[in-house]
Amino acid sequence: MNRVTFTLTSSLVLLASMNLAPQAVQAQENLELLLTQNSPTLMAQRIETPYTLGAGDRVGVTVFNVPEYSGEYQVLVDGTLNLPIVGVVPVRDLNIAQATELISRLYSPFLRRPLVTVSLLSPRPIRIAIAGEVNRPGSYRVGEGESGSFPTITNAVEMAGGITRSAGVRQVQLRRSVQGRQQVYNINLWDLLQNGNSGEDVTLRDGDSIFIPQTAQIDPIETRTLSEASFAGEEGPIQVSVIGEVNRPGVHTLQQGSVERAAGEGLTGQGSKRVTGAIASAGGITPSADVRNVELRRTTRDGTQQTLTVNLWELLQSGNARQDVILQEGDIIAVPVASEINPSEVGDIASATFSPETIKVNVVGEVDQPGATVVPPNTPLNQVLLAAGSFDNRRANKQVVDLVRLNSDGTVTKREIELDFTRGINEEGNPALRNNDVIVVRRSGVTRVADTLGTIFSPITGLLSVFRLFGF
């Protein structure tokens, strides 16, 4: 005990000796508050107030050497026990020690020095309220059918569907009525998870209310730890929205998935409840996506929105799993347009799980195999032409092709591309293609002239054929 504590304690003794009982009581409470501010153990002991009896409790009353007065009794709806000889005994809001003392006094006129023992055999279900960052806030009846057990804060959170990903578990508030006054206690469930401090998992009392605030900002590492806690949310499917530079923007349903392709440590399979899983479910990113500045937008229970920037390029390069954030119901993932694409990064991005496995490009015109061609994402134009069987050597213009593209805003652009098969990926001469692009291979000049002449002279050719048929 330090000097401050010793001085305060000495002052209390002096106040009590001066018959200043109310002041001494208040000073004692202030001292206890001072001592518990920096001591989790003492705080937990202060919260654990004695259990008080109420309607529905089942108790055992044992009167030593008088078995006919002993037995099991239930506290009635009016808060009383009906005992032999003494009759109705009001025990509502009494703790076990107080109930024992009361029953002993009532039996004193009938027994010499009665030895009475009261024990709680089965606590009643209690009504508690829980609000804030839980999946199903509201009022709950806790502990029903669990003989001899006392529900705790984590039991209540589990009953309320678990915490959300925005929960601030370091500052959980427990509100409790103690001797007619409401007390507010701060509970640190993070200490329970990290250090196994079971004292933070306080047992509840009838009428308690729990409030779980939102965290100041989204912390990917803490979110991962909380998702594995016993009081985490349920493992059912969730719906999230994916917008921006993805192939199928909209609302998508996600479930817990497994690893499918490992382009970097921590990547999860399509459909998993993470950022990469959501993007994969949306058909993967487009070639113009900015994977360094993906936004996760999350709405908390009070309607405010939290935003976290996710760098998926860092996830690919260093396996930084904190970038692949675990999602919750209602999250929005926005993939922006990149201001510039680095050709050296295209291959790494194309092999990631959040890129589409294949895209479809239509090649029409003077090629050996016109039609839809399925290729890996970000395949350059030159390679698609080769995949389509290359040019029709007799008819194709091998110098220039047209690239027709449907843009995300609904517009259509047409570009003339000068071919050079010695080029690498280049936006001007050999661009990486997108899903549903169309390549038009033109006719050569000679072919156009021949086709035009053929069209002009085809009626005359047909007439000459008729004359030959009739022998002219």
Side-chain angles (χ1 to χ4, degrees), residues 102-239:
L102 174 61
I103 295 172
S104 296
R105 284 194 287 106
L106 292 176
Y107 273 117
S108 294
F110 307 99
L111 300 171
R112 179 179 297 177
R113 296 180 181 176
L115 297 177
V116 176
T117 302
V118 177
S119 57
L120 180 64
L121 302 179
S122 177
R124 68 190 181 280
I126 63 174
R127 178 70 64 180
I128 60 99
I130 184 166
E133 293 299 325
V134 290
N135 289 304
R136 294 193 301 271
S139 179
Y140 289 90
R141 193 173 175 85
V142 186
E144 193 164 19
E146 299 178 8
S147 178
S149 64
F150 291 91
T152 65
I153 287 182
T154 56
N155 295 148
V157 172
E158 289 177 52
M159 185 170 286
I163 54 174
T164 69
R165 306 293 186 233
S166 299
V169 295
R170 288 177 172 83
Q171 294 292 327
V172 177
Q173 293 182 2
L174 171 65
R175 298 183 177 94
R176 173 176 296 173
S177 179
V178 180
Q179 296 180 349
R181 294 188 303 171
Q182 188 172 78
Q183 303 286 344
V184 180
Y185 306 99
N186 286 329
I187 308 297
N188 187 349
L189 293 182
W190 184 253
D191 191 23
L192 170 66
L193 293 177
Q194 293 296 98
N195 303 314
N197 184 1
S198 59
E200 297 294 339
D201 195 15
V202 178
T203 56
L204 299 175
R205 299 289 182 262
D206 201 13
D208 281 354
S209 63
I210 303 165
F211 176 74
I212 300 181
Q214 70 183 51
T215 185
Q217 59 184 4
I218 302 172
D219 186 327
I221 297 300
E222 185 165 320
T223 297
R224 186 183 297 270
T225 301
L226 291 176
S227 69
E228 298 169 352
S230 62
F231 51 87
E234 298 173 348
E235 289 299 322
I238 61 172
Q239 287 191 326

Side-chain angles (χ1 to χ4, degrees), residues 41-102:
T41 303
L42 290 175
M43 175 61 80
Q45 292 174 352
R46 183 176 172 83
I47 297 174
E48 296 291 2
T49 55
Y51 184 85
T52 56
L53 298 173
D57 284 329
R58 190 161 189 83
V59 298
V61 178
T62 302
V63 183
F64 184 68
N65 279 338
V66 190
E68 59 270 25
Y69 292 173
S70 305
E72 296 182 6
Y73 305 92
Q74 185 163 336
V75 180
L76 303 179
V77 70
D78 60 354
T80 64
L81 290 173
N82 194 0
L83 301 180
I85 303 297
V86 297
V88 175
V89 180
V91 294
R92 187 197 302 272
D93 296 331
L94 299 182
N95 59 42
I96 297 298
Q98 292 169 334
T100 300
E101 181 182 356
L102 174 61

